Amino acid sequence: MVVASGPLVTFDPGGRILVAAAGQTLLDAAFAAGIPLDSVCGGRGICERCRVVVAQGEVEADDARGGRSGGEVLACLARITGDVRVEIPEASRIESEQILTGMERWDQILSTSEEVDIARPRAISTAAERFADGPLAFVLPLSLPPPTLEDSVSDAQRLARELLRQHGLRDVAVPVEVLRAAPSALREAGWEIGVVLVRTSVGHQLIDIHPAAEAARAFGIAVDIGTTTIVAHLVDLGTGRTLGASAAVNRQRTYGDDVISRIIHAGEPGGLERLRSAVVDQINVLIGSLANAHEIARDEIVAVAAAGNTTMVHLFLGLPPAEIRREPYIPVVVAPPTCPASQVGLRIHPRAIVAVMPGVSGWVGGDITADVVACGMDRTPELTMLIDVGTNGETVIGNRDFLVCCACSAGPAFEGGGISSGMRAAGGAIQRVEVSASGGFVYETVGSVPPRGICGSGLVDLLAELLRAGYMDRAGGLHLGSQVVREGPGGLEVLVAPAEATATGRDITLTAADIENLLRAKAAVYAGASLLALRIGMDMSDIDRIYVAGGFGAYLDIGKAILIGLLPEVPLERVTFIGNGSVAGAKMGLLAKATRRRAIEVSRKMTYRELSVDPGFMEEYVSAMFLPHTDCGRFPDACTTLQFS
Amino acid sequence: MVVASGPLVTFDPGGRILVAAAGQTLLDAAFAAGIPLDSVCGGRGICERCRVVVAQGEVEADDARGGRSGGEVLACLARITGDVRVEIPEASRIESEQILTGMERWDQILSTSEEVDIARPRAISTAAERFADGPLAFVLPLSLPPPTLEDSVSDAQRLARELLRQHGLRDVAVPVEVLRAAPSALREAGWEIGVVLVRTSVGHQLIDIHPAAEAARAFGIAVDIGTTTIVAHLVDLGTGRTLGASAAVNRQRTYGDDVISRIIHAGEPGGLERLRSAVVDQINVLIGSLANAHEIARDEIVAVAAAGNTTMVHLFLGLPPAEIRREPYIPVVVAPPTCPASQVGLRIHPRAIVAVMPGVSGWVGGDITADVVACGMDRTPELTMLIDVGTNGETVIGNRDFLVCCACSAGPAFEGGGISSGMRAAGGAIQRVEVSASGGFVYETVGSVPPRGICGSGLVDLLAELLRAGYMDRAGGLHLGSQVVREGPGGLEVLVAPAEATATGRDITLTAADIENLLRAKAAVYAGASLLALRIGMDMSDIDRIYVAGGFGAYLDIGKAILIGLLPEVPLERVTFIGNGSVAGAKMGLLAKATRRRAIEVSRKMTYRELSVDPGFMEEYVSAMFLPHTDCGRFPDACTTLQFS
């Protein structure tokens, strides 16, 4: 038996103890212990949300704020040197339930999806046909007749024969490692077993043998690897149910906010490996906290379906992304083969597999394919537009006959990135805001707790309300004289919630710089969507349906998103907010083979329009830097509401 | 860069220097350095053939003969503790060319084999169709059009597209590790590359990308994992030519001479791992010395085809063999899947594959399947018998319509094991013996050098000649009075070569105990073959052809083998000696997919008769303990020649 050794870190309240690696940060250790500390800057010491108190022992603190017993440090900058006891103040803690927001939405959609329904078995006993078109991994019960002198085939042949007889499965590969353990596993279980099967690119593989009693447990992870945020869902592959979700800032942000700066960093010595391990470690931490919370052993997790843009997928798999950025913009791969989790570095079952949603090109990745299969626009005759308000700002237009897409760098503003009080849609995030009759703000937070920041949907509301109340002009300029606008250190700013009302004890504000960032982001998104429609000869009025994806939170006020010109103006009932379509599509891919097949068809069918070289792009972008737009002809109702002309 | 550190061992003559691991034996170090020291006892200090002189420095010698500078030690018992300089006397050295004996025979047979001929390409440029039914691994040239804005598919898609266009290959899997290196490999090569492909159980896999100039190199290893001897052949997969062969005693012999004692040892704590690493290390050493001798890098070796009895295959793959021995005698697997060499522990290309010849049951392994496909008895209408005079003594009877086999433990005597002057057919082995007109011996050695011992074919000759000359009776008893029989320390013995004529400076003798061992071995082999024929209702006169396989050496005098009753008496022209059919079959499997397919058919078709529980076996065995047999009716010509009745 190997006994882990290293400094002991004790977290209060709760007293959870972790054996850490010397040099590990307290933030990493907290994640590893399943304690979701707040952090939005990717561990760079910028957001200052991961404050903890060193109660006993010492840490090495990079921020020159000391690290002595009794002192407050930023967990992300504090490195563990020996045994230490740490107190986590209420303000620095995100309750994991609070970041589940949005999970239920997709479980509802999934439960009505034909494909996933096929994949969801009612009972393990009728598993085979149910799994035929089903999940990436599953458990099958197998009752083997004990060998006799008359029936003396090898253990491997017996397994193969009964998989065929009892479940109709042929040519199931059994790796040597499984064979090594097979004789004792079969005999100790009295020949009544549960086998764990995974579906690789080339067929089924038997990755483990369990005694029958435990047979029913196989779990999967769906993960959206965003440039800014990583979201992981834990799924019971036997029932199709989502058990929990967890999210964190992509720690690659330490090396740059957008894909371009990450690609540049990957070209530096050791850069690719730093980026690879940053994202893989982060996913391991998310998986660890999910497993912890749901009392699941890591090796009961046997499959991962991942979606991300092409650069994120390259970094996740350790593939050099340099050529994506260099003409003629060639990725190493857009539809990676299913590969062993151990090769990727995920700490789950040693023979678990990772399937990555197929992408289209260097600039349109599997996250968009996932969005498309999640909203189902590839199966409808209706002309549909999908807008993913992520860091890369992708738009897809099409239906079951064609799909065309574009991307334009929008930045992380609507995920809370680069916004002084921005945060992802976790507990304490202001997700709805209104200007009340008295001229002040009323807001609603995720989890109905004191506010800690503003998430994407809150930012959309805030811009719309500032505009509607006349506190802000069409160019984003604030007006002094209203009760919520004041002089700040960097010019005029909006006081959204005063320090005494917040969980952090600090004012929650929106600065002029924040507004500038949001304007640039919304302009890029709108410009991409409208120019793509223009270039394929469509008018917005031709669009039957718009799906909006993005990390705004559980909720998005479509009317307000149109009011600020983030979305094109169409009748409200034509627009549906689908939240994180990428993780939803990945989850459907995890659960249904038909979805994975559809994703491949979508990725083959979709054509990419490079708008960054389109001479019309800058014009569209500049026109969209106004609220809702310079051309009120495109936003007639919004302009009427706002009394613009 | 990692610099290896450890004690330096210098071998004279030649001055080859090796960085050894502390605690490694001098024998292992010599093998690792590609210096084939003589050794037949599996490193147990018994055969005393690996004597070396410690010229400088010290070793730790287990044999209490000291290990001081200037002293003579057994290399197998001498552990390296620090820098040391070692002299290898001529007598302890086997020249590697001398153990190639028998290699040419099979290359001749291979060159006339239709299957292997198909697999052998004339020129790399027409490789694809030639490899379609060909080797386990091969190199294909690929000329990729460099990407442009108009042709901007990913590197992976470009590879897949051109493999299909230029070679008709579809669905070639490219592992993530290869993709990681692909962008730079493709661009540095200017898009003119050679790809290394391996054929797994489920399809083709691209395991490496080379610049075109080096494209032509891919090598394979065919290995026969015998209970007593391991033989490896190095094959150029591009031309099908065998470049070299290397053999060594299976070091598992330290843990027992036969499969039963190995199975028992595998059940002890750590036993399986000891046996596994013994055989894998030994194969690594053989591969290393072959690579060394032919100036091939280890990672140019990309495929291994292995054949062995079922227990040897279990130990090679690390599979627990215990159930093979326990009723109802269930192996873990008889036809293992193709698996990565890295999983097995072979130090060749990290993504090389290992294919194991499929066996029939716990007691009839892939070595026999290999024998069958090598001699082609599965394709002929003639009734054929195959006798493998190995440690397990297998017999197969059949033709293209049926195949039935049996096994009976014969022991290693005819491979030189358990015989005081026995050795394998390496340089200096007496391979032919005659009693001259003057009553003394004339002999011929492998390599025509002074004798060092007697190999299998020499032992057969010796028994026959002793019998014919009247120096030995039908029961194996020696008679004093002839010039070659003398009193020895353990009773009467035959002096085959006196000390002054030998390379070792010691007498080469055959003792009464040796004769007893040989009698038991030949009786077991004959009893198995004759009883199997009897049980399926065949008479020896029905047999159209007999193939004899075994590690006798390059040569076997069939007439003499019949004279001593090792082989049944049939007209001489019906008997063919095929040598090591196991390594030959493995090599055909390495080179031709059709052979691997045939091997699977053979393993499915062959039925096993358990003779050890047959009441007739002991009777047959005891009758065969005489020379040629108690029943002269079965050996009429032999008995006439010998003037027995």
Side-chain angles (χ1 to χ4, degrees):
Chain A
M1 204 178 105
V2 177
V3 177
S5 75
L8 289 184
V9 186
T10 311
F11 293 101
D12 287 323
R16 195 169 283 181
I17 295 177
L18 176 93
V19 181
Q24 197 177 14
T25 67
L26 281 177
L27 183 64
D28 287 349
F31 269 110
I35 298 166
L37 265 184
D38 195 8
S39 166
V40 299
C41 69
R44 290 183 286 180
I46 294 170
C47 72
E48 304 201 355
R49 295 183 182 199
C50 59
R51 280 172 200 290
V52 296
V53 176
V54 179
Q56 240 174 59
E58 278 188 21
V59 293
E60 190 189 309
D62 301 1
D63 60 352
R65 288 183 184 83
R68 243 165 297 267
S69 186
E72 194 181 58
V73 292
L74 294 182
C76 65
L77 298 182
R79 295 191 178 277
I80 296 162
T81 54
D83 293 357
V84 65
R85 187 166 199 113
V86 175
E87 250 169 53
I88 303 173
E90 185 57 30
S92 301
R93 188 178 273 266
I94 315 170
E95 290 311 321
S96 60
E97 302 78 51
Q98 294 173 350
I99 50 176
L100 299 195
T101 345
M103 188 180 93
E104 294 74 18
R105 170 197 311 279
W106 271 106
D107 263 16
Q108 209 178 335
I109 294 175
L110 285 175
S111 72
T112 59
S113 157
E114 214 177 288
E115 285 165 10
V116 175
D117 191 52
I118 289 171
R120 184 173 316 170
R122 270 93 189 142
I124 200 75
S125 60
T126 58
E129 63 269 32
R130 295 201 181 282
F131 285 123
D133 210 27
L136 268 176
F138 48 94
V139 178
L140 290 182
L142 209 57
S143 175
L144 300 166
T148 62
L149 280 173
E150 290 68 44
D151 174 19
S152 62
V153 299
S154 70
D155 290 346
Q157 282 166 297
R158 193 169 306 271
L159 282 167
R161 188 183 71 189
E162 299 304 322
L163 277 168
L164 180 59
R165 276 193 195 161
Q166 294 172 37
H167 298 294
L169 287 174
R170 207 178 280 278
D171 295 328
V172 175
V174 185
V176 166
E177 300 103 311
V178 177
L179 288 176
R180 285 176 184 156
S184 56
L186 297 174
R187 286 163 182 82
E188 279 162 22
W191 304 95
E192 299 291 331
I193 54 168
V195 290
V196 184
L197 298 182
V198 296
R199 220 186 281 269
T200 71
S201 307
V202 288
H204 288 97
Q205 194 168 61
L206 192 162
I207 67 159
D208 219 339
I209 298 172
H210 288 295
E214 302 171 25
R217 286 168 68 98
F219 300 93
I221 296 284
V223 59
D224 167 43
I225 308 172
T227 312
T228 304
T229 312
I230 298 177
V231 179
H233 286 202
L234 173 68
V235 181
D236 182 334
L237 296 174
T239 62
R241 272 193 57 228
T242 304
L243 303 181
S246 192
V249 168
N250 186 336
R251 299 218 206 146
Q252 291 178 339
R253 283 192 68 191
T254 313
Y255 310 105
D257 274 340
D258 53 29
V259 294
I260 296 294
S261 49
R262 308 268 173 91
I263 292 175
I264 293 169
H265 185 79
E268 291 174 11
L272 175 56
E273 179 50 25
R274 273 192 299 278
L275 291 166
R276 191 197 68 78
S277 59
V279 65
V280 170
D281 290 354
Q282 181 78 79
I283 295 172
N284 276 327
V285 162
L286 290 176
I287 292 175
S289 68
L290 284 168
N292 236 326
H294 297 274
E295 295 184 345
I296 285 167
R298 274 183 180 271
D299 68 1
E300 290 181 292
I301 299 173
V302 290
V304 172
N309 67 55
T310 304
T311 300
M312 286 306 110
V313 166
H314 274 58
L315 299 178
F316 172 58
L317 297 177
L319 305 172
E323 298 295 332
I324 295 177
R325 198 180 144 243
R326 215 174 267 156
E327 200 181 309
Y329 316 111
I330 307 297
V332 180
V333 65
V334 290
T338 305
C339 64
S342 57
Q343 225 166 62
V344 174
L346 293 181
R347 289 188 292 111
I348 50 179
H349 190 290
R351 287 174 296 280
I353 54 164
V354 178
V356 177
M357 294 296 273
V360 176
S361 71
W363 300 109
V364 179
D367 49 348
I368 301 308
T369 313
D371 276 340
V372 169
V373 296
C375 74
M377 65 185 286
D378 59 317
R379 295 199 291 191
T380 175
E382 292 186 331
L383 186 61
T384 307
M385 175 182 265
L386 168 86
I387 302 177
D388 189 323
V389 191
T391 312
N392 294 322
E394 293 95 345
T395 295
V396 184
I397 300 178
N399 56 22
R400 64 186 181 194
D401 300 318
F402 80 99
L403 292 165
V404 55
C405 62
C406 71
C408 44
S409 188
F414 286 106
E415 290 168 76
I419 305 296
S420 57
S421 291
M423 69 181 287
R424 68 175 182 277
I430 294 175
Q431 59 175 347
R432 290 179 200 242
V433 191
E434 262 179 46
V435 172
S436 69
S438 65
F441 289 120
V442 289
Y443 50 77
E444 179 190 309
T445 63
V446 176
S448 303
V449 293
R452 309 156 49 79
I454 317 171
C455 70
S457 62
L459 291 166
V460 169
D461 277 17
L462 195 54
L463 286 186
E465 291 292 301
L466 290 170
L467 203 57
R468 207 170 48 82
Y471 298 167
M472 184 174 70
D473 61 30
R474 291 182 65 175
L478 294 171
H479 302 308
L480 259 183
S482 74
Q483 56 177 283
V484 299
V485 177
R486 68 180 189 192
E487 288 279 2
L492 293 183
E493 64 181 24
V494 179
L495 179 64
V496 183
E500 58 273 22
T502 69
T504 57
R506 288 189 293 275
D507 289 344
I508 293 174
T509 58
L510 187 77
T511 66
D514 293 338
I515 293 172
E516 180 70 20
N517 272 341
L518 288 166
L519 246 68
R520 274 201 293 262
K522 83 98 189 168
V525 170
Y526 177 82
S530 61
L531 189 63
L532 183 65
L534 191 69
R535 288 291 178 258
I536 63 168
M538 303 277 174
D539 189 81
M540 279 301 167
S541 61
D542 298 329
I543 306 283
D544 297 311
R545 176 142 301 281
I546 296 181
Y547 290 104
V548 183
F552 296 100
Y555 144 96
L556 177 70
D557 187 318
I558 301 296
K560 288 178 177 170
I562 293 174
L563 206 67
I564 64 168
L566 169 63
L567 302 179
E569 189 176 302
V570 297
L572 277 192
E573 65 277 10
R574 292 196 197 162
V575 187
T576 308
F577 172 57
I578 63 168
N580 190 328
S582 174
V583 76
K587 200 192 294 183
M588 288 170 68
L590 183 65
L591 288 170
K593 191 178 168 187
T595 305
R596 295 192 294 279
R597 225 182 282 122
R598 261 176 67 207
I600 290 170
E601 279 161 29
V602 164
S603 70
R604 287 193 182 140
K605 196 157 84 175
M606 192 137 61
T607 56
Y608 176 62
R609 290 289 293 239
E610 181 57 63
L611 293 191
S612 68
V613 296
D614 189 307
F617 184 78
M618 195 42 75
E619 198 180 316
E620 276 289 335
Y621 176 72
V622 171
S623 313
M625 281 293 286
F626 284 77
L627 295 157
H629 197 270
T630 42
D631 177 8
C632 265
R634 300 208 200 175
F635 288 84
D637 292 350
C639 283
T640 305
T641 304
L642 296 170
Q643 301 176 302
F644 296 155
S645 56
Chain B
M1 206 177 106
V2 177
V3 178
S5 74
L8 288 184
V9 186
T10 311
F11 292 101
D12 287 325
R16 196 169 283 182
I17 295 178
L18 177 92
V19 181
Q24 196 176 16
T25 66
L26 281 177
L27 182 64
D28 288 348
F31 268 110
I35 298 166
L37 264 185
D38 195 6
S39 166
V40 299
C41 69
R44 291 183 286 180
I46 295 170
C47 71
E48 304 201 353
R49 296 184 180 197
C50 59
R51 280 173 200 289
V52 297
V53 176
V54 179
Q56 238 173 60
E58 276 187 23
V59 294
E60 189 190 309
D62 300 1
D63 59 352
R65 288 183 184 81
R68 243 165 297 266
S69 184
E72 195 181 61
V73 291
L74 293 183
C76 65
L77 299 181
R79 296 193 178 275
I80 296 161
T81 54
D83 293 357
V84 64
R85 188 167 199 114
V86 175
E87 250 169 52
I88 302 174
E90 186 57 33
S92 301
R93 188 177 273 265
I94 315 171
E95 290 311 323
S96 61
E97 303 77 51
Q98 295 173 351
I99 51 176
L100 300 195
T101 347
M103 188 180 94
E104 295 74 16
R105 172 198 309 278
W106 271 105
D107 264 17
Q108 207 177 337
I109 294 175
L110 285 174
S111 73
T112 59
S113 157
E114 214 176 286
E115 285 164 10
V116 174
D117 192 52
I118 288 171
R120 184 174 315 173
R122 270 91 190 148
I124 201 74
S125 60
T126 58
E129 62 270 31
R130 295 201 180 282
F131 285 123
D133 209 29
L136 270 176
F138 48 95
V139 177
L140 290 181
L142 209 57
S143 175
L144 300 167
T148 61
L149 280 173
E150 290 67 45
D151 174 19
S152 62
V153 298
S154 70
D155 290 345
Q157 282 166 295
R158 192 170 307 271
L159 283 168
R161 187 183 73 191
E162 299 304 322
L163 278 169
L164 180 58
R165 274 194 196 161
Q166 294 173 36
H167 298 293
L169 287 175
R170 209 177 277 280
D171 295 327
V172 175
V174 185
V176 166
E177 300 101 313
V178 177
L179 289 176
R180 285 177 184 154
S184 56
L186 296 175
R187 286 163 183 82
E188 280 163 21
W191 304 95
E192 299 290 332
I193 55 167
V195 290
V196 184
L197 299 182
V198 295
R199 220 184 281 270
T200 71
S201 307
V202 289
H204 288 97
Q205 193 168 61
L206 193 162
I207 66 159
D208 219 339
I209 297 172
H210 288 295
E214 300 172 27
R217 286 168 70 97
F219 300 94
I221 296 284
V223 58
D224 167 43
I225 308 172
T227 312
T228 303
T229 313
I230 299 177
V231 179
H233 286 202
L234 173 67
V235 181
D236 182 334
L237 296 174
T239 62
R241 272 194 56 229
T242 304
L243 303 181
S246 191
V249 168
N250 186 336
R251 300 219 206 146
Q252 291 178 340
R253 283 192 69 190
T254 314
Y255 309 105
D257 273 341
D258 53 29
V259 295
I260 296 294
S261 50
R262 309 268 172 91
I263 293 175
I264 293 170
H265 186 79
E268 291 174 12
L272 174 56
E273 179 50 25
R274 272 192 298 278
L275 290 166
R276 190 197 68 79
S277 59
V279 64
V280 169
D281 290 354
Q282 180 78 78
I283 295 172
N284 276 328
V285 161
L286 290 176
I287 292 175
S289 69
L290 284 168
N292 236 327
H294 296 274
E295 295 185 348
I296 285 166
R298 275 184 179 271
D299 68 2
E300 291 181 292
I301 299 173
V302 291
V304 171
N309 66 55
T310 304
T311 300
M312 286 306 110
V313 166
H314 274 60
L315 299 177
F316 173 59
L317 297 176
L319 305 171
E323 298 295 333
I324 294 177
R325 200 180 142 243
R326 214 175 269 156
E327 200 182 309
Y329 316 113
I330 307 297
V332 180
V333 65
V334 290
T338 306
C339 64
S342 57
Q343 226 166 61
V344 175
L346 293 182
R347 289 187 291 111
I348 49 179
H349 190 290
R351 288 175 294 281
I353 55 165
V354 178
V356 176
M357 294 297 271
V360 176
S361 71
W363 301 110
V364 179
D367 48 348
I368 302 307
T369 313
D371 276 339
V372 169
V373 297
C375 73
M377 65 185 285
D378 59 318
R379 295 198 292 191
T380 175
E382 292 186 331
L383 185 62
T384 307
M385 174 181 266
L386 168 85
I387 302 177
D388 189 322
V389 191
T391 312
N392 293 321
E394 294 95 345
T395 295
V396 185
I397 299 178
N399 56 22
R400 65 185 178 194
D401 300 317
F402 79 100
L403 291 165
V404 55
C405 62
C406 71
C408 44
S409 189
F414 287 106
E415 290 168 76
I419 304 297
S420 58
S421 291
M423 67 181 287
R424 67 173 181 278
I430 293 176
Q431 57 176 348
R432 291 178 198 241
V433 190
E434 263 179 46
V435 173
S436 69
S438 65
F441 290 120
V442 290
Y443 50 78
E444 177 190 310
T445 63
V446 176
S448 302
V449 293
R452 308 157 49 77
I454 317 171
C455 69
S457 61
L459 291 166
V460 169
D461 278 16
L462 194 53
L463 286 186
E465 290 292 301
L466 289 170
L467 203 57
R468 207 169 49 83
Y471 299 168
M472 183 173 71
D473 62 30
R474 289 183 67 176
L478 294 171
H479 302 308
L480 260 183
S482 75
Q483 57 176 285
V484 298
V485 178
R486 67 178 189 194
E487 287 280 1
L492 293 183
E493 63 180 25
V494 179
L495 178 65
V496 184
E500 57 273 24
T502 69
T504 57
R506 285 188 296 273
D507 289 343
I508 292 175
T509 58
L510 188 76
T511 66
D514 293 339
I515 293 171
E516 181 69 20
N517 273 340
L518 288 165
L519 245 67
R520 274 201 293 263
K522 84 99 189 165
V525 169
Y526 177 82
S530 62
L531 189 62
L532 184 65
L534 191 69
R535 287 293 178 255
I536 63 168
M538 303 275 174
D539 189 84
M540 280 300 168
S541 61
D542 299 330
I543 306 283
D544 296 311
R545 176 142 302 280
I546 296 182
Y547 290 104
V548 183
F552 297 98
Y555 143 95
L556 176 70
D557 187 318
I558 300 297
K560 290 179 177 168
I562 294 174
L563 205 67
I564 64 168
L566 169 64
L567 302 178
E569 189 177 298
V570 297
L572 278 191
E573 64 277 12
R574 293 196 197 162
V575 187
T576 308
F577 173 58
I578 63 169
N580 189 329
S582 175
V583 76
K587 200 193 294 184
M588 287 169 69
L590 183 66
L591 287 171
K593 191 178 166 186
T595 305
R596 295 191 295 279
R597 225 182 281 121
R598 260 176 68 206
I600 290 170
E601 280 161 28
V602 165
S603 70
R604 288 193 182 141
K605 197 157 83 175
M606 193 136 61
T607 55
Y608 176 63
R609 291 288 293 238
E610 181 57 62
L611 294 189
S612 67
V613 295
D614 189 305
F617 185 77
M618 193 43 73
E619 199 182 316
E620 277 289 337
Y621 176 73
V622 171
S623 314
M625 281 294 285
F626 283 76
L627 293 158
H629 196 271
T630 40
D631 177 8
C632 265
R634 299 207 199 176
F635 287 84
D637 293 350
C639 283
T640 305
T641 305
L642 296 171
Q643 301 176 301
F644 296 154
S645 55

